[in-house]
Amino acid sequence: MTDLGRGRHTTTTSCLLKWAFGGYVVDTPGIRQFELTRVPSQELEAYFKEFVGLVPNCRFPSCSHTHEADCAILAAVENGDIDPARYESYCRMYQECVEKEKNRT
Ligand SMILES: [Zn+2]
């Protein structure tokens, strides 16, 4: 009975992750909340698939893509390569992640 319960939980989790990595970062408050409780702020970029290829071009390896100099993501937003709405969504979620991490320690 316990094993069955655990198996069901795992399926739900991986299903949500596949969603996120498929490029659908869900903006429904309930789901977003749930996702973000498990996403470290430094890994948030991985959920934005148009960011992933550009991240190595950032000057700082720990770039948060919010205010750093020579940030490849910020440059791409300026060039129009990244949708500004997606970028805004990233910034909002990044802030939420940082807030959660602060609350946890
Ligand atoms: Zn950056």
Side-chain angles (χ1 to χ4, degrees), residues 55 58-60 63-66 68 70-74:
V55 169
C58 290
R59 179 157 147 200
F60 304 105
C63 189
S64 72
H65 323 300
T66 55
E68 286 87 349
D70 294 330
C71 171
I73 302 300
L74 281 168

Side-chain angles (χ1 to χ4, degrees), residues 4-83:
L4 259 180
R6 205 158 46 211
R8 201 164 47 222
H9 179 73
T10 311
T11 311
T12 314
T13 310
S14 61
C15 194
L16 279 165
L17 271 179
K18 204 165 80 187
W19 250 7
F21 281 107
Y24 301 100
V25 175
V26 184
D27 227 0
T28 311
I31 295 176
R32 199 157 52 105
Q33 217 72 21
F34 178 74
E35 282 292 313
L36 286 179
T37 55
R38 296 160 25 248
V39 179
S41 54
Q42 306 96 309
E43 285 175 23
L44 185 62
E45 65 199 22
Y47 287 82
F48 289 76
K49 64 176 181 194
E50 68 268 53
F51 288 22
V52 174
L54 296 167
V55 169
N57 300 329
C58 290
R59 179 157 147 200
F60 304 105
S62 61
C63 189
S64 72
H65 323 300
T66 55
H67 63 275
E68 286 87 349
D70 294 330
C71 171
I73 302 300
L74 281 168
V77 175
E78 266 173 43
N79 294 342
D81 291 337
I82 288 179
D83 183 351

Side-chain angles (χ1 to χ4, degrees), residues 25 27 32 44 48 84-94:
V25 175
D27 227 0
R32 199 157 52 105
L44 185 62
F48 289 76
R86 289 275 289 168
Y87 178 69
E88 268 171 40
S89 162
Y90 168 83
C91 290
R92 213 170 50 227
M93 289 167 80
Y94 181 82

